Amino acid sequence: MGRLDGKTVLVIGGGADGPAREGETVAIGNGRATAIQCAREGASVMVADLKLALAEETAAAIRAEGGRAAAIACDASREDDCRAAVEAAVRNFGALHLLVNNVGIGIGGNLLKTSTEAFDKMYAVNLRSHFLTMRYAAPEIAAAGGGAIVNVSSMAALRSNSLIPYEATKAAILGLSRSAAMTLARDKIRVNTILPGLINSTMVRREIGDREAAVAPRIPMRRQGTPWEIAKAIVFLLSDDASYITATELIVDGGLSAR
Ligand SMILES: NC(=O)c1ccc[n+]([C@@H]2O[C@H](COP(=O)([O-])OP(=O)(O)OC[C@H]3O[C@@H](n4cnc5c(N)ncnc54)[C@H](O)[C@@H]3O)[C@@H](O)[C@H]2O)c1
């Protein structure tokens, strides 16, 4: 029996946009690992991604393991696309219970090196998208009898790395989630935030490359985390194992932030 049996989950940013690690048949990032892990726990998965081919790749990987999944193109910075992704989940699987907002990009630089356009794009992709998908998903989750939402923030919400629009949007996700949790508690919808530390994800492999040797000595556990470790923490927060947990933040960072 899976912890998400009978549930439908919508994963926004459920593809993986970056190179595979050695040994991976399909590239694994936080979003794709989360979608696959949800399916392994019994959920039907609606995979939404800016790039339809990447969403389809995730859905195919889930179906290859015997799970249920469908894919949809969705630019989460566009309101119509957010609404359409929620509608597609309900249309394909009959109801929506769970939402994971994994979308997040890292453009811009420090205060003096970030254009207004870059800041606005980060706001739309990293923050407003979470607001929009939650707003459209919440009535559906309530109609299904309740469920859970997990928003993906970052350690950058707590510590500076001089990427101002990333830090600002990831910090704002904490407030967004807390506020949504207050509103949605009466509908039996829990809302929590996950803060990954340094993870060997597709995002990092695409934008930075192999940073393991450079960052491992700084991390108390002496290694980067894997997308699967993020996915399993997200599944915990989605599942009934976290039935009394809402409006909180779970740091998954191998001890980095305690240092
Ligand atoms: N890797 C790390 O060290 C780390 C640390 C902290 C937080 N995170 C967070 O993890 C998340 C991304 O991780 P990932 O490994 O899945 O990366 P990823 O870059 O592979 O992103 C997942 C998917 O999001 C999609 N996407 C991008 N823009 C989109 C948009 N506008 N609408 C819909 N989909 C879009 C991409 O096409 C991709 O398939 C981000 O929120 C990031 O901030 C990562």
Side-chain angles (χ1 to χ4, degrees):
M1 218 177 90
R3 287 187 291 168
L4 304 182
D5 276 347
K7 307 292 185 193
T8 297
V9 60
L10 170 61
V11 182
I12 308 284
D17 190 6
R21 279 178 88 178
E22 207 179 306
E24 284 176 353
T25 47
V26 61
I28 297 294
N30 297 337
R32 178 166 288 159
T34 299
I36 293 173
Q37 197 62 31
C38 284
R40 288 178 181 167
E41 292 285 354
S44 300
V45 187
M46 188 76 225
V47 187
D49 201 283
L50 182 62
K51 298 178 180 169
L52 180 60
L54 297 179
E56 280 174 341
E57 208 170 53
T58 303
I62 289 171
R63 285 194 294 264
E65 294 185 357
R68 287 173 307 281
I72 185 169
C74 165
D75 178 350
S77 66
R78 295 170 55 94
E79 180 161 3
D80 286 351
D81 286 15
C82 292
R83 183 173 45 222
V86 169
E87 288 170 358
V90 176
R91 192 170 58 246
N92 274 273
F93 301 112
L96 179 65
H97 310 89
L98 309 168
L99 168 68
V100 178
N101 277 311
N102 174 64
V103 166
I105 57 171
I107 59 169
N110 68 25
L111 173 66
L112 304 177
K113 291 188 176 152
T114 299
S115 67
T116 310
E117 292 71 27
F119 192 90
D120 286 349
K121 178 159 186 183
M122 289 291 280
Y123 163 78
V125 174
N126 284 16
L127 182 65
R128 199 180 64 147
S129 66
H130 293 223
F131 161 73
L132 290 171
T133 56
M134 286 199 291
R135 208 181 60 194
Y136 285 111
E140 295 295 345
I141 301 175
I149 297 172
V150 175
N151 294 320
V152 177
S153 173
S154 167
M155 270 289 300
L158 308 176
R159 302 276 187 279
S160 184
N161 59 8
S162 295
L163 193 58
I164 195 166
Y166 192 74
E167 289 165 42
T169 53
K170 290 298 183 180
I173 287 173
L174 310 186
L176 189 84
S177 304
R178 269 199 306 271
S179 185
M182 294 301 102
T183 304
L184 298 179
R186 60 170 176 254
D187 287 326
K188 299 190 175 61
I189 304 174
R190 297 178 296 99
V191 185
N192 292 293
T193 307
I194 197 130
L195 283 74
L198 298 173
I199 308 301
N200 189 345
S201 70
T202 35
M203 180 190 198
V204 163
R205 294 199 293 274
R206 181 186 73 240
E207 291 179 10
I208 302 174
D210 182 359
R211 66 176 177 183
E212 182 72 28
V215 303
R218 285 202 277 132
I219 303 169
M221 289 187 72
R222 294 289 184 275
R223 64 173 178 84
Q224 289 185 95
T226 71
W228 297 110
E229 289 170 317
I230 299 304
K232 287 176 184 174
I234 291 174
V235 164
F236 163 68
L237 289 172
L238 292 175
S239 77
D240 284 346
D241 288 346
S243 54
Y244 200 53
I245 300 177
T246 195
T248 195
E249 290 118 31
L250 179 56
I251 297 172
V252 184
D253 72 346
L256 184 61
S257 57
R259 184 148 252 186

